[in-house]
Amino acid sequence: GSRQPRGGSRQAGASRRAAMVKMVADYDEFKEIIASGTVIVDFTASWCGPCRMIGPKFEAMEGEFAGKITFIKVDVDEVEEAASECGIKAMPTFMVYKDGQKVDEMVGADEKKLRAMVEKYA
């Protein structure tokens, strides 16, 4: 008989700590995710130093605010349409969406400001 390969259901075994912020694959997925609930988007780039510094902090906050806020990342080089649609001029830029409407944004790798913004919508 054919058996399902081990690790078929990755969701079940994944511990909450190991949760990684979702990296959006394309513009359609981006629009779909921001359409409902409170979503915080990290517009990032692989070559951006400050993005790499704030990235782990952003991911730690996801664990903290899980269930209240959805955290996603958009690589501006991978999903150019989202970056241009949102008018991203510098990285990192963080945007907050509520049911598809942009309600807040901040530019720069400032952990205190980011946390204050996250807490405001949690």
Side-chain angles (χ1 to χ4, degrees):
S2 64
R3 274 244 174 91
Q4 271 229 269
R6 278 184 67 81
S9 65
R10 284 189 25 223
Q11 245 18 55
S15 77
R16 286 186 61 79
R17 272 318 302 140
M20 286 285 291
V21 171
K22 181 171 184 53
M23 194 58 115
V24 173
D26 55 36
Y27 187 53
D28 288 337
E29 185 178 41
F30 171 74
K31 286 195 301 195
E32 195 179 306
I33 294 171
I34 65 166
S36 62
T38 303
V39 182
I40 298 199
V41 189
D42 174 5
F43 289 92
T44 186
S46 55
W47 44 264
C48 157
C51 298
R52 286 204 294 272
M53 278 166 44
I54 195 88
K57 314 275 194 295
F58 184 72
E59 297 193 359
M61 283 180 213
E62 181 191 44
E64 230 175 292
F65 296 96
K68 297 186 185 133
I69 298 178
T70 302
F71 288 72
I72 61 172
K73 286 185 171 193
V74 173
D75 184 318
V76 296
D77 296 318
E78 300 286 326
V79 193
E80 287 176 35
E81 201 179 344
S84 65
E85 199 64 31
C86 299
I88 303 302
K89 308 250 182 318
M91 274 70 70
T93 295
F94 298 92
M95 289 190 176
V96 184
Y97 288 87
K98 274 199 141 145
D99 299 327
Q101 296 298 308
K102 188 176 100 179
V103 291
D104 213 339
E105 103 178 70
M106 67 163 268
V107 178
D110 184 328
E111 187 189 352
K112 279 201 176 74
K113 272 170 69 178
L114 176 60
R115 172 170 289 280
M117 188 171 82
V118 171
E119 285 175 348
K120 191 164 135 190
Y121 296 99

